[in-house]
Amino acid sequence: MASEDADENVDRGTDGPAGTGQPAQGAENAGPSAGGPVDPEIAAAVAAAGAAGPGNGETVRIDSWIWAVRLIKTRSQGATACRGGHVHVNGERVKPAYSVRVGDEVRLRNEGRERIVIVKRLIRKRVGAPVAVQCYIDNSPPPPPRETVAPAGIRDRGTGRPTKRDRRDMERLRGLTPPGFSSGMSGPEGRPRGR
């Protein structure tokens, strides 16, 4: 009977203490391929990230977590995004001090892109990118291809400073000129401007 339980734990990958169903030490650090080799540098960084995590009973703020896993560049930007309503946890808008838990779904809108991640590990300190991707499951839609955004207003090297007409043409291409705005020589009342 005891050997059958041991075989079940091996089959499930739960070699934890006393059949608790918890993975054994190091099993969570196996990386994307469970049986594949693990880079020793990444394994060391993952161990350091585990040490950077909260202690028993401690919590991690959402603005700190999204900064630590590199979803946002600075912690203050994370707090601003939370205050602006760009961060949702489990479908609810949250404040910067919201305590995030393992298993929460975090939706973040940043720089014109929506990121949808599931929290796998709580960390407080910012870590490297290879370690950061192991702290969440990314369910984000793919980013739009870069070819769809045509570069407007790029000038050839050595052509000099753009003239007023060139600047207005570039603004019109970028969509910065208001509709109905004429770049002609007439003033606001339609009369020619004086010098």
Side-chain angles (χ1 to χ4, degrees):
M1 194 79 169
S3 65
E4 291 175 6
D5 290 337
D7 290 338
E8 286 178 10
N9 286 341
V10 170
D11 291 341
R12 289 189 211 138
T14 55
D15 295 322
T20 59
Q22 298 295 325
Q25 287 293 83
E28 72 231 11
N29 300 338
S33 60
V38 177
D39 186 14
E41 291 180 9
I42 293 177
V46 168
N56 291 337
E58 294 181 5
T59 60
V60 178
R61 293 169 52 115
I62 185 68
D63 61 342
S64 178
W65 187 82
I66 61 177
W67 165 75
V69 296
R70 297 179 168 268
L71 293 177
I72 210 154
K73 291 182 181 177
T74 66
R75 183 171 171 183
S76 64
Q77 282 181 347
T80 303
C82 290
R83 280 189 231 104
H86 299 289
V87 179
H88 294 253
V89 177
N90 298 327
E92 299 288 326
R93 284 178 54 176
V94 294
K95 294 182 179 181
Y98 180 84
S99 296
V100 69
R101 296 183 303 259
V102 174
D104 284 347
E105 179 189 58
V106 178
R107 290 178 176 259
L108 167 71
R109 177 160 286 285
N110 184 31
E111 296 176 353
R113 181 174 177 213
E114 184 172 18
R115 301 291 305 265
I116 304 168
V117 297
I118 308 291
V119 179
K120 269 177 42 178
R121 177 180 293 148
L122 297 177
I123 59 173
R124 286 179 186 234
K125 296 181 181 176
R126 193 167 173 95
V127 294
V131 179
V133 297
Q134 295 181 0
C135 295
Y136 59 86
I137 301 169
D138 196 357
N139 295 333
S140 305
R146 292 184 180 229
E147 293 81 34
T148 59
V149 180
I154 295 180
R155 297 173 48 84
D156 293 331
R157 190 175 183 107
T159 56
R161 185 173 174 174
T163 63
K164 194 172 195 175
R165 177 179 286 172
D166 292 338
R167 181 182 54 79
R168 287 181 177 158
D169 290 341
M170 287 188 285
E171 287 176 355
R172 192 171 24 255
L173 284 173
R174 290 184 188 136
L176 300 176
T177 304
F181 181 76
S182 173
S183 61
M185 297 298 289
S186 62
E189 291 85 25
R191 295 186 308 244
R193 287 189 219 159
R195 290 192 182 224

